[in-house]
Amino acid sequence: MMCVFKMSLNSKSIDRLSTYQGGCHCGKVRYRVELEKLAAIDCNCSICNKKGFLHIIVPAARFTLIQGSDDLSTYTFNTGIAKHHFCRHCGIHAFYRPRSHPDGYDINLRCLDDYPIDLFEITTFDGAHWEDQIDRIQDKYS
């Protein structure tokens, strides 16, 4: 994929939407996502830490599930707002509906095709103290 980058102080931005595809390990779940910036979040909450999830939060209009809706299972905990989807065959959590942005999607950077992790600016988020920290990402990643 070819993109022209323009740098900003807060994140690596691009001059147009970039389209990526991704999915689970076995390939039954596939999606397409359009990104306007190359920024991801590394959260230290209990579930993100264990899954190794690197978050790319996008509006619902920029996410398309290409295949695999019947192959997904969902895990919820605590408030039940976040819908942690995962492939019921291989167990990979390629995306979910986040509590911080329940009308959007949270894509796992590690599940994008061709593993473009080096293109992204990754910032940390203290999700272990979610209630005290959530305002740091609610406006920035909407």
Side-chain angles (χ1 to χ4, degrees):
M1 176 173 69
M2 202 60 172
C3 282
V4 176
F5 295 98
K6 57 183 179 184
M7 300 301 290
S8 76
L9 294 176
N10 296 327
S11 65
K12 295 179 181 180
S13 61
I14 47 185
D15 64 357
R16 61 177 160 62
L17 291 177
S18 290
T19 302
Y20 288 90
Q21 289 193 18
C24 67
H25 187 256
C26 71
K28 292 186 184 294
V29 175
R30 297 289 301 154
Y31 60 81
R32 179 176 36 257
V33 62
E34 296 175 322
L35 303 178
E36 67 179 55
K37 56 186 168 186
L38 300 178
I41 301 167
D42 186 4
C43 176
N44 69 348
C45 79
S46 60
I47 194 165
C48 294
N49 237 1
K50 290 185 183 290
K51 288 193 296 186
F53 208 100
L54 291 177
H55 305 265
I56 304 170
I57 301 170
V58 298
R62 294 200 178 135
F63 175 85
T64 303
L65 183 61
I66 299 170
Q67 69 183 41
S69 62
D70 293 338
D71 297 301
L72 291 170
S73 290
T74 303
Y75 173 68
T76 61
F77 67 99
N78 195 7
T79 65
I81 295 171
K83 305 300 181 207
H84 296 269
H85 303 301
F86 61 95
C87 176
R88 65 184 175 88
H89 304 284
C90 66
I92 295 300
H93 295 246
F95 70 93
Y96 75 105
R97 300 298 294 254
R99 179 177 167 200
S100 63
H101 298 78
D103 295 330
Y105 284 89
D106 197 337
I107 311 306
N108 189 347
L109 171 56
R110 289 189 165 108
C111 290
L112 294 180
D113 293 349
D114 301 323
Y115 201 64
I117 195 166
D118 291 341
L119 300 177
F120 285 73
E121 177 183 343
I122 300 172
T123 58
T124 58
F125 173 70
D126 186 9
H129 300 98
W130 198 90
E131 299 295 338
D132 296 330
Q133 301 293 316
I134 191 56
D135 60 329
R136 287 187 51 218
I137 63 170
Q138 279 186 319
D139 293 333
K140 185 175 180 181
Y141 296 92
S142 294

